[in-house]
Amino acid sequence: MEEDTDFRVRFSSLCFITDHVGFHGTIKSSPSDFVVTEIDEQGQLVNKATNERISKVLPEPNNFAKKTKLDFQNLSFKEGSNQEVNIVTGCSDDDQNLTDIKTDESASEKEDTINDGTSKGKEEKVDVLGNLLDEKTNELLNHFACDIKEKWNSKTELIGSSPEFSLGRILDKNQRAILHSAVRQKFPFLITVGKNSEIVVKPNLEYKELCHLVSEEEAFDFFKYLDAKKENSKFTFKPDTNKDHRKAVHHFVNKKFGNLVETKSFPELSYNAGNPNVAITVRFREKTHKHRKRSLFECRDQKVIYTAFTLRKENLEMFEALGFLAIKLGVIPSDFSYAGLKDKKAITYQAMVVRKVTPERLKNIEKEIEKKRMNVFNIRYVDDSLRLGQLKGNHFDITIRNLRNQINDSSNLRERILEAIENVKNKGFVNYYGPQRFGMGRKVHTDQIGLALLKSEMVEAVKLFLTPEDLDDPVNRAKKYFLQTEDAKGTLSLMPEFKVRERALLESLHRFGMTEEGCIQAWFSFPHSMRIFYVHAYSSKIWNEAVSYRLATYGSRVVEGDLVSLDEDVDDEHFTNSKVHLVTEEEESANTYAIHQVVLPVLGYNIQYPKNKIGQWYQEILSRDGLQTCRFKVPTLKLNVPGCYRQILKHPHNVSYQLMEEHEIDVKTEGSHIDEGTLSLLISFDLDASCYATVCLREIMKHDF
């Protein structure tokens, strides 16, 4: 494992709580030497849970509700109706002038991407316009629509004012809503306008404009998608190798419908690296339709699909893994939720939930993702997404190689190792945030980016994120080019495809520019969990410094003004102010509390500080970093950081260990001769959520990695 000397200096100032000598060794010689498995809230290892069969959770193919004739008089427009109308029609005689009625949630969720004009199901068909309009009006509407299309196809310009066709006055409000959508779905190249209960039909000039950029088939399907307003659905244009052309399509959609939808570009699942095909995907912005009345086409049950699974990854950065999964599943990284972040140089097992993806779809990509050293299993439906911290803890299986004594220590190595492990089992370790919380870069750490975000220095935060290391590789060459030129488009051509976060940021900068507002938009290319991660990194760094100062100032004594936890069963950081108590002078004298009950605040807007030298220290640090008036809210990025409390000491649980010779399978028995140069330690233990195995090992070994 390559050592980061700058980070070692930062961590060498941190304290130890135990007094044993320790030993040296090498961790993470390979990913298999460091295996991390989440422990769910029920105390189960996520890689041991029962793998439910997909067939048990998927709907039976013929188990749909019986389809019935559409009765417009009795249609309900209330929240929660589970009906959906998907009109599949066109202009020619061969088109299906029909409407599909889906009365089963699982049927409508089989495919939420509208990318063609044909019905996928076999539901009973009914003629919506035929039910709403008299025969003559319906016939005239068809003639009007075909006349508009013929003139457009013949390149004939519409002379004078835009032609109109009136459907007459429709007094019933619900029927008007149905008719508006029915016309637009059958004829996406037309628009409808309401005038005092009268519905007027006109040519859709935006449709014609889009036809100059994409095929008429795509324009037809896009406007059908747009009018259906089916939440959580997406529309994908055909793959396009021309970047300038894609940019023009992005610009059109965002200019005309940017308040309603957002666009993203994704590589095709299979493409030649030298000539990649990229497709533009459109999806409705979240909550856009939350507070308005729904049309018939939105009246189905709006329950979103959530699929849970266990993700196994090896030597893969977590956000890179999510980016790859998102491309394969046709979603975006923010559709994934998880309980905790995991190491890169390790084999990790963690619980995940993805929105809008069925277990069947996830099952179908198993073979493809194996090439990226990922596996998914325990796939099943669940009711909701995961939250950060929604786990009991993590189980670790770690191999420490090349064991040796500390410098100038001639004692028996085996005895030193056993002494160290037992000491930490009994006394615990200082509960520092580990190195992975801050990144392993030498020049820039995640806490520095978080500080810039807290100070609303958006451009500076972007520059920090794209600061190169002193390495000559494609990633750092691309970053160096950007800082020299601020040319986001050129940098994108240099940045490797696997750098998902960097590319997402650069694509936004290319679209919005390297201005303060442009950088704000660029940060929104990251999911909320990633944006707030940087702010949490800054708070974590300050907490590490605070606990070192606390132990250096007061040692293991609990003193007046300390904060202690009144909850004996705390296994994470999420306990409230009501569970935190300020130690009084009398309680200090009576030794009422022990050091393992002491907590320190992790910065945020809803915390209290110790009422002693430690509280004063916090204020001095905030002043040092220019955060005297910081409210720990960044409205422009929708970040609110309430803060929390963290115990300064923690204990490992269920500790077991074996000493073994290098490359040997069988453990040597007590007293047998071991060449100490080839000795390895296999150690397993559980830690509460938000605790770091590297920090526990640091306390055991008295050695900074």
Side-chain angles (χ1 to χ4, degrees), residues 552-567:
T553 303
Y554 297 119
S556 296
R557 294 185 301 122
V558 181
V559 301
E560 179 184 0
D562 271 338
L563 297 171
V564 294
S565 167
L566 299 179
D567 191 339

Side-chain angles (χ1 to χ4, degrees), residues 29 43 120 192 280 455 457 635 690:
S29 296
K120 297 282 196 288
T192 55
I280 296 174
K455 296 165 77 171
E457 297 173 350
S690 194

Side-chain angles (χ1 to χ4, degrees), residues 81-123:
S81 169
N82 66 350
Q83 289 178 311
E84 177 193 11
V85 177
N86 178 25
I87 301 179
V88 185
T89 56
C91 185
S92 69
D93 293 337
D94 295 329
D95 288 324
Q96 295 173 302
N97 199 2
L98 302 168
T99 300
D100 298 345
I101 308 301
K102 295 183 182 180
T103 56
D104 186 278
E105 167 66 22
S106 58
S108 65
E109 289 293 349
K110 273 192 170 181
E111 180 55 70
D112 63 4
T113 302
I114 302 176
N115 54 16
D116 59 44
T118 59
S119 172
K120 297 282 196 288
K122 297 182 179 179
E123 293 82 0

Side-chain angles (χ1 to χ4, degrees), residues 496-516:
E497 290 288 339
F498 72 88
K499 299 303 288 186
V500 177
R501 284 177 292 174
E502 285 79 356
R503 292 187 61 84
L505 196 79
L506 288 165
E507 285 174 358
S508 289
L509 291 174
H510 175 46
R511 187 180 305 178
F512 298 108
M514 189 62 180
T515 62
E516 192 75 15

Side-chain angles (χ1 to χ4, degrees), residues 473-574:
D473 59 41
V475 173
N476 286 292
R477 285 196 294 270
K479 288 182 176 180
K480 185 177 180 180
Y481 174 80
F482 178 80
L483 290 191
Q484 290 172 342
T485 65
E486 293 189 0
D487 174 13
K489 183 178 181 181
T491 308
L492 266 171
S493 67
L494 300 173
M495 186 65 69
E497 290 288 339
F498 72 88
K499 299 303 288 186
V500 177
R501 284 177 292 174
E502 285 79 356
R503 292 187 61 84
L505 196 79
L506 288 165
E507 285 174 358
S508 289
L509 291 174
H510 175 46
R511 187 180 305 178
F512 298 108
M514 189 62 180
T515 62
E516 192 75 15
E517 181 60 32
C519 288
I520 290 172
Q521 293 299 323
W523 282 110
F524 274 109
S525 68
F526 290 1
H528 179 271
S529 59
M530 200 185 301
R531 296 197 302 274
I532 206 165
F533 168 77
Y534 293 101
V535 176
H536 285 163
Y538 171 76
S539 298
S540 302
K541 177 206 172 197
I542 299 306
W543 192 91
N544 277 4
E545 294 177 0
V547 74
S548 290
Y549 181 75
R550 164 62 182 77
L551 291 172
T553 303
Y554 297 119
S556 296
R557 294 185 301 122
V558 181
V559 301
E560 179 184 0
D562 271 338
L563 297 171
V564 294
S565 167
L566 299 179
D567 191 339
E568 291 296 324
D569 297 321
V570 173
D571 58 4
D572 61 30
E573 303 173 359
H574 302 98

